[in-house]
Amino acid sequence: MEQDNRNHILNDINQIETKLKELEKEKENIQDSCSHKEWTVNFDEQRSIKRYCSECKRELGYATKEEEQDFLKPRGQQHT
């Protein structure tokens, strides 16, 4: 009985991982078709300041020093 439960859990996890891969591929296809005309600056997971497309959220690279300084200013003092 316990073995059946472990197999069920493993099957569920495998299905989730397969679905995640499919969704990541779909996300990549959408981002590949985006023109990335507008972007924002924000932190990534490692707390680096990077540019991201405003429409598809694709990482576009590191922000310039000026963009970093503007991003780190208190709200209301940033350039628009």
Side-chain angles (χ1 to χ4, degrees):
M1 187 68 157
E2 188 174 320
Q3 184 67 32
D4 288 342
N5 190 36
R6 282 192 217 151
N7 286 338
H8 181 70
I9 290 171
L10 181 60
N11 286 338
D12 287 349
I13 296 298
N14 286 337
Q15 288 176 0
I16 290 169
E17 288 175 342
T18 299
K19 186 65 175 173
L20 281 171
K21 286 178 188 175
E22 291 171 4
L23 290 171
E24 281 296 325
K25 185 63 179 167
E26 184 178 346
K27 177 183 170 184
E28 186 178 314
N29 289 337
I30 292 168
Q31 289 176 325
D32 285 344
S33 68
C34 182
S35 62
H36 314 302
K37 290 181 182 179
E38 295 182 28
W39 47 266
T40 58
V41 175
N42 211 337
F43 290 110
D44 68 3
E45 294 84 21
Q46 289 77 36
R47 306 300 286 168
S48 296
I49 301 173
K50 294 190 176 176
R51 289 180 179 177
Y52 293 90
C53 177
S54 296
E55 288 187 52
C56 73
K57 297 185 179 182
R58 175 171 273 175
E59 181 181 303
L60 301 176
Y62 288 97
T64 65
K65 288 292 180 191
E66 183 178 319
E67 290 167 341
E68 286 181 11
Q69 290 171 353
D70 193 45
F71 174 71
L72 294 172
K73 286 180 184 175
R75 295 264 182 226
Q77 293 183 8
Q78 296 173 337
H79 293 104
T80 55

